[in-house]
Amino acid sequence: MDNLEILTKAIQLQKPISFEYNAPKHVVGKRYGNPYAVYIDVGTNNILMDIYRTSGAQTPPIKKPLPDWKRYLVDYLSEIKVLEEENSFEIRHDYKPNSPRYAKSLVKI
């Protein structure tokens, strides 16, 4: 399965994931959270993932402690695992599925 297929499965099942983020200038280490959407950014054409991060590695300076909303470039994600043994997550009240940012969504809750 490729990254998009794994993320699609997690989003459809509302299951948390673990992953590595290998972007330049970011701390190496596992990250955990609840993925909500994968979409093409209208301005840059990058494929992005919006996730409610719950724990794991963070790159300093830490602006907001976890848990918090984060956005990641899908090209830099690796070792994505759907945590199927975990309970499905509840959809957060502050998630905005009709946000203009999701105009080119590939998958979303």
Side-chain angles (χ1 to χ4, degrees):
M1 257 192 232
D2 68 16
N3 284 351
L4 184 55
E5 290 172 322
I6 296 167
L7 292 171
T8 297
K9 178 181 178 180
I11 290 168
Q12 289 173 339
L13 296 174
Q14 290 177 226
K15 291 287 188 176
I17 62 170
S18 66
F19 63 98
E20 296 277 346
Y21 192 59
N22 303 303
K25 300 180 183 176
H26 282 76
V27 169
V28 175
K30 283 270 188 235
R31 291 160 166 80
Y32 299 87
N34 303 327
Y36 278 77
V38 176
Y39 57 98
I40 299 169
D41 182 75
V42 177
T44 64
N45 280 328
N46 289 323
I47 299 175
L48 302 174
M49 172 185 67
D50 281 359
I51 185 168
Y52 192 75
R53 278 278 314 278
T54 55
S55 64
Q58 287 189 274
T59 301
I62 297 171
K63 296 173 187 160
K64 295 181 186 174
L66 295 177
D68 196 17
W69 287 102
K70 302 288 182 184
R71 183 172 303 141
Y72 292 97
L73 284 161
V74 171
D75 285 348
Y76 292 113
L77 299 177
S78 66
E79 298 184 43
I80 304 168
K81 305 254 185 310
V82 179
L83 304 178
E84 295 188 45
E85 69 283 355
E86 298 287 328
N87 291 330
S88 295
F89 59 85
E90 296 287 324
I91 298 172
R92 292 188 50 82
H93 71 280
D94 55 351
Y95 171 59
K96 310 266 188 281
N98 297 320
S99 170
R101 83 167 39 143
Y102 303 136
K104 291 180 152 183
S105 67
L106 301 174
V107 61
K108 66 178 180 172
I109 291 177

